[in-house]
């Protein structure tokens, strides 16, 4: 739960989706985050950390690809942040882009999977807290529990951020908020790529 609550690309994505699109899109994104976390949990349980430790290029590849994806998201946010001439908050709200719930879900899933450090963090928690021989019932129960934790938290974020007051603030300052979000995502993506290049060297 503490890992889910900590701010990062996932939080930023759900927040922006909720205020810029709709509450339903935000909830779809929350479910995508939950599924991504459950998938990473399952990978951690079957020993992905051991694979990463033995085959370093796999982890480096995760970092570079994840960083490239975040840079792509950052560019799309920055490019789409330019305001229309004479656009009012009411007009901007009525012209909000509609990309479909499935697209919001899939973009959120990709965002969650794009951060390879999540696997390492989850694996570290498991290594510290789980028994040496994990019973089958835990293997089956932990990924769904992680799904519930992550999707519940991000659903809460979506509900709060899609309420009228936050949305009104966003619509009034959309250009600068989107550009700030793009800068944050870009910095995170660049950091992953630079870390991968440093480790490869």
């Amino acid at each position: 739960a503490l890992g889910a609550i900590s701010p990062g690309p996932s939080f930023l994505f759900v927040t922006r989706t909720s205020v810029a699109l709709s509450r339903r899109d935000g909830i779809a994104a929350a479910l995508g985050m939950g599924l991504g976390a459950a998938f990473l949990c399952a990978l951690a349980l079957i020993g992905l950390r051991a694979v990463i430790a033995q085959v370093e290029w796999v982890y480096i590849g995760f970092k570079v690809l994840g960083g490239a994806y975040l840079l792509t998201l950052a560019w799309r946010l920055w490019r789409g942040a330019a305001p229309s001439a004479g656009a009012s908050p009411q007009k901007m709200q009525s012209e909000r882009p509609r990309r479909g719930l499935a697209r919001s879900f899939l973009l959120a899933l990709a965002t969650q999977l794009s951060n390879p450090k999540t696997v390492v963090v989850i694996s570290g928690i498991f290594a510290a807290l789980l028994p040496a021989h994990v019973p089958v019932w835990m293997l089956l129960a932990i990924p769904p529990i992680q799904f519930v934790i992550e999707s519940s938290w991000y659903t809460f974020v979506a509900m709060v951020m899609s309420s009228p007051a936050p949305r009104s603030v966003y619509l009034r300052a959309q250009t600068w908020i989107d550009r700030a979000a793009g800068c944050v995502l870009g910095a995170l993506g660049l950091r992953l790529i630079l870390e991968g290049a440093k480790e490869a060297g």
Side-chain angles (χ1 to χ4, degrees), residues 34 36 60-61 76 89 99 114 124 139 162 172:
I60 293 172
R76 289 177 60 187
R99 66 183 178 207
S114 70
L139 295 175
S162 62
R172 286 196 300 267

Side-chain angles (χ1 to χ4, degrees), residues 50-68:
V51 173
I52 288 174
Q54 296 297 320
V55 189
E56 187 178 4
W57 65 265
V58 173
Y59 185 48
I60 293 172
F62 273 159
K63 280 191 171 182
V64 173
L65 290 176

Side-chain angles (χ1 to χ4, degrees), residues 37-50:
F39 179 71
L40 293 177
C41 246
L43 290 180
L45 285 169
I46 63 176
L48 181 62
R49 182 172 182 164

